[in-house]
Structure formats: structure tokens, C-alpha cells
Amino acid sequence: MDFKLFKEMLKRIFFVLFTAAVLACHAAPKTQPVVEGVTNVKPDEQQQLVIKEVVNLIESYNYKKLEINDSISSIILDKYIKSLDQGKNYFLASDIKEFEKYRFTLDDDFKNGDLSGPFYIYNVYAKRLNEYFNYSLAQIKTKFDFNQNDTYTYDREKMPWAASSTALNETWKKRVKYELVNLNLAGTAQAKNVETLTKRYQNLQSQTSKTNNQDVFQILMDAFTESIDPHTNYFNPVNAVAFNEDMSRSFEGIGARLQLENEVVKISEIIAGGPAFKDKQLTPGDRIIAVAQGDAEFVDVVGWRLDATVSKIKGAKGTKVRLKVIPAGKEMSSKPVIISLVRDKVILEETSAKKMVKTINMNGKSYKMGVITLPAFYADFKAANAGDKNYKSTTRDVRKLIDSLKTFDKVDGIVMDLRGNGGGSLVEAISLTGLFIDKGPVVQVKDLRNKIEVDEDENTGVAWDGPFGVMVDRLSASASEIFAGAIQDYGRGIIMGSQTYGKGTVQSSIDLNKLVNPSMLQRMAGLITKNKTTLTSPTNVTAADINLGQINLTMAKFYRVAGSSTQHKGVTPDVILPSLYPMDKIGEDTEPSALPWDVIPSSNFKAVANLTAVKPNLIKNSEQRIANSLDFKYLKQDFAEMKKRDAEVSVTLNEAKLKAEREAQEVKSLARINELRAARGLPAIKKGEKPTKQDAFDFIEDESLHVMGDFMQQSGNYVMNLGLMPKNN
């Protein structure tokens, strides 16, 4: 979809708005109330400007065409409070009563760049959280009686807010007791459990104390944008980088995944193909205590936030970074090893398209099936725009896999596995569809001006013209639904699985910095330097220091080539399989702010086949297999138990009772595993033995492949024989 012209219009109008905002940014916000006993987090000038401009963008260009008013303000407040304290474990009833003064003022405050109210609310939350940590740490050493018949209410969402700290303390005390019971059941000594839990709470307290205004602003903006629609999102600078790296399936750095453990950054994984992988000096478990850029001085990073350390280690391709490392297994007092690495582009292959070949037997005949697993629709737009002929993209990767499946594996059919695929690049969804249809419309898009654009695959020929199927589930969304919907409308293949998510809206990613004249950024930097409000701000701020983040703004809706929207209803498979996910809790139709489903006229497309005649038998045969399947039987039982657990809000604190319940569950689980293993011709495992890879049987995939086998046997070659399918090019 080409939003170039529309974005140019947006840029011109937004520039005027932003210029006015910069000139008016001296309008003083309200004085933020001070919360005693905690370091108060305050918004900065950039955030005050961003909130004003996000309001302007939403009111001017969001598909809903709505005004940020008192009604929206009320929704934002509720969502913000819930995001901080969904379980009602921190705020008191008196706090909530005080916050009511913001219920119908946030809309006006945001338009004026005033964030004092939400930041005050966060600081109250931080104070309550700190009180909770201190109280809990004191309770850990309590001599609890684990033989009492008391209970811990872990889900207080539907309960009233606690009237006093004393009332809430009882909940916190029982939570500590519950955590100790769990540690006791793990078989370690109570003294050790007290030490473990103490360190756990101290670490939580330490990490919470590192929360900065960017974190708070992100929480607030999430509440704000979710009040508009589920897919309009603001990303602060750090999250914007993560989003774009995920889209491109690549980043520039050393190629290591990091985690925080006891205030120290530890390497959890070395990414294949990256600089660290090729250098072979770093290993999982190594701890990084200091970082230096090139030959500059080392900066100690012990106790830092994880994202802050990551930003120091990552950097532009070709630059050098030095690390002080305590090798895995060595004491922290050991002499560190200095490792020098040259950063490079790291490709995340494990999150890219992959293939495998499965053989199924149907009525005495075997079929080789190629399964292409696609986790997302990705593209490295930065590399593509730079002229890199080998830039990474979904369509390029899948085409190579198809060529391999045809040439080397010589498969009889191909299945595209889109389960869990939440979407991504619309351009890639269109071009990927083109690998399976000759050419023609793939998706229709209606913008906020009600203009309908038909996006087509314009490339003649296909990469695969044989039997084809698509697996989807409740987590398949957006671009996945466009692809699956087009395949279904064209009659190009069989769609199998459960009803998809129903995300049929189009978002345009807007880098807020690019919508502002550089001179305006410089003026803003001057104002920030003059009105310096945060200790973390540099003394002299330049335009290069200004990063306003990114907004993904809902600006249009998707429609299938046959005219039906994918919004809200998603794609209904030809052969419906039981869902692994609760349909009433996951999906666009569970989102209060979601746009509705509707229909527009069909595009001018020509189906390649009519598969209506073969579907009834496919459904009948699948239902028979499912009825006789132990895996699907247990899936049904799991949902019944899940529904029962959802109704529970408390758990016993009697150690003997809890132990008995868990042992009974373990016996039941072991019996189930062995029953399934027996059905697959595998020997039983004993208590304490770990399940093998063979136990991770993908019964949804297996049933889908059998549906494909049915399809290939029942339809024969009639599709090809009638000449309704284009040939390979």
C-alpha cells in the first residue's frame, strides 16, 4: 500500500501544528504534587510536546475520526490505573478517590502538554509499591504456621479497593507465606528459602527504583492509545528501536541476548552468525561488568537497567566495543577478562521463515508434505532502501524455501504455517500471496476519506502451483489474515485451524522526529537546556539529542478481495479445528475499542478454482479423526479445567493440602503422558523422568497434514487438469 502522498499531506499539516506547539511550549503545566517518601518521577519537555502532537495526530488522522474529550479522558484514567494495579494490590480506596479529580481533565491536560496528573498517580503507586516491598521483606522472617487452613486471595480485581494499609498488609503477608510454601514444596530448607525470597524482593525493589520518566510515559501512552483503538500505539525511543528491529529481523551489535541477574547483566544466548558467535570468546553465563566504546574508558554497568546496558553494547556496524567480563562459573571477585568485538549486522534467523518435510500415510499411499513455518511478515526496509540486493524479507526467504522443497525434497504438497503469526509488513503479505497466484488483487484498503485502493500482485507466474494449505489459529492476525483470506477467496488452497484474530486495520509508522523541521528541534533543545527539569538531561542539549519516538497510527481498514473486512471477524477456516486458545479472551472481538466489521464491493478478481465440492468431506473426515484423538480429548479437558480455574480467586496456604493437590495433578499428568506415549508406540516414563522431544507432538499440525492428504486424494488432479491453476514460471 502506498501512503506516500497521504503522508506528505500529513507532514505539511503536522509541521504547522508542531511549529505552533514549539512556540507555545512555555505554557506552564500545573504544578505536579509531591509524593513524600519516594523519588518523584517527572515528565520532561519532549514528552510534554509529544503528548500534544499525538493528540493532534489522532484527532486529525485516526480512522475513527474522534475528538479527545471527557469521555475518552475517563477511559484513559481507568486503563492507566488498571495497568499499574490490575490486581488491586497497591492503591488504597483513598488514593482512587483522590485520582477522581483527573477523570474528566486528562483530555484538556494532554492538549496543553500537561502530564502532571498521570505522573503524580505513578509516584503514589511507586510509594505504595515501596511500602509493599518493605513490609514483605519484614514478613519473610516471620515464623509462619504452614498447617493452618487459611487461604491467599491472589485475584482481587473484582474486589473493592482496600480501605487501609492495614487491610492490604494482610494480603501482602499471605502472598509472602504463599511464596514460602512454594519454595518449601520444592524441597529446599526453610532457612535457604528465606534467603532466596529476601534476595528476590530486594532485587525487585532495586529494579523498580530504576524506573524513569520514559517508562512512566510509555505506560501512560499505552493507556491513551488503547483507549482510541487496540492498534494505535506510541513507542518511546527505546521501544521504537525494538519494534523496527523486530520488523526487519535484524539489528547491529555483537549478537548476544542478555538478561539481568542480581544486578549484573548475564549473557543468556549467543546468536548464530553474529560477531560474538564468530569470535568464540563469549559464552552463555558470562557476566558483563563494564563497557567501553572503542578505545575509550570503561564504564561500570553493574546495577544498571538492562536496557541501558544493551544500548551501550549495541552500536553501528563496523564500530568496536570492549567488554569487561567475569567468565561463567567464576566468582564475581575474579579478575575480569577484556574482550574486544567489532559490531556487525546480526540476522535473527530463528525468527525467520523455516521449512521441514513431513511424510503422512493416507489409505495406503504416502505423501511428502513441505511445511513452511512463518512467524511474521518481515522486511528490512532500511537495507532495501539503501540498495542492498540481498535485503531480508519474508517473500525472498519463502521463495528460496519453496525452490528447495520442489527441487531437492520433491514434495507433493506445501502447507504454510501461520499459527501465532501476528502480521507485519503489508507489502510482504501481498508479494507472498503472489508466489501462489498468477497475478491480481490481494487486498483492498479503505482510508479515513473512504477512498478504496486495491493492492495487487503484479508479477506474472507462481513459485508453487501444486496442492497448498494454510494453517491459522486465534493468534494469526493482520497480514496473516490478508494472506489466508486471499488464498481462500481465490480457491487456491485449504485454510485449516481456528478463527483468526480479526485485526483488519492499517497502521502507518510515523517517526515523529521526521515530521519536524530540524530548526524546530534545535529550538526545542534550547528550551530544554534553559528549562532543565531532569537530572538525567545533559547540560547542553542539541537537536541530535532530541528523540520524540514513533507512533503507529490506525489510518485505514483491510478488506478481502471478495469485499469482506477481516476486522473483528477475521478469517474462518474451511476446516475448523479446536483452538488452543480461549476464543472469548483473545481476539479483536474482545477489545472494547475495536472498529466494527463491514463489507465493501468485491474487487475484480478471478478465482483459480472452486473448492466448495471437496470441503464437506474434508470436514467430515477431520471431525471423525478428532473424535478418536486422545490429544483433542485432553485439549477439551484442559479447557474445562481452565474455565474452572478462571473462576477461582484464592489458593490454600496449608502446605500439606497444597502438596497433595500438586501430587495428584502430577500423577494425573504422568498418566496422561504415558497414555499418549502408548498410543504412539513409545515406552512409558517414570515419575521424575523428563518427557522427551517425542512428547511435544504437534497434533494440530498432524491433523492439518491429514486434511491436506484428504484434499489431495479427494480432489485428485482435477484442479490442474482443468487448467484453472497457473503453471510454474
Side-chain angles (χ1 to χ4, degrees), residues 35 37-39 41 91 120-133 208:
V35 178
V38 66
T39 300
V41 183
F91 287 131
Y120 169 69
I121 291 174
Y122 174 80
N123 290 329
V124 173
Y125 164 76
K127 179 180 181 179
R128 299 299 180 213
L129 189 61
N130 196 50
E131 291 171 348
Y132 156 63
F133 285 140
T208 302

Side-chain angles (χ1 to χ4, degrees), residues 78 100 175 251 373 416 419 473 574:
D78 288 337
E100 279 297 309
R175 174 171 172 170
F251 66 93
T373 302
M416 185 72 68
R419 291 176 297 171
D473 65 6
D574 301 309

Side-chain angles (χ1 to χ4, degrees), residues 374-376 417-423 471-477 480 581:
L374 186 63
D417 187 352
L418 298 181
R419 291 176 297 171
N421 185 320
M471 297 171 60
V472 295
D473 65 6
R474 191 60 163 172
L475 301 183
S476 303
S480 291
Y581 307 98

Side-chain angles (χ1 to χ4, degrees), residues 19 27 116 133 256 378 435 457 468 484 518-519 604 621 629 642 676 681 711 715:
T19 301
S116 58
F133 285 140
Y378 52 86
L435 299 184
D457 163 44
F468 184 55
S519 64
N604 184 23
N621 290 346
S629 166
M642 186 188 303
L676 289 169
F711 173 54
S715 62

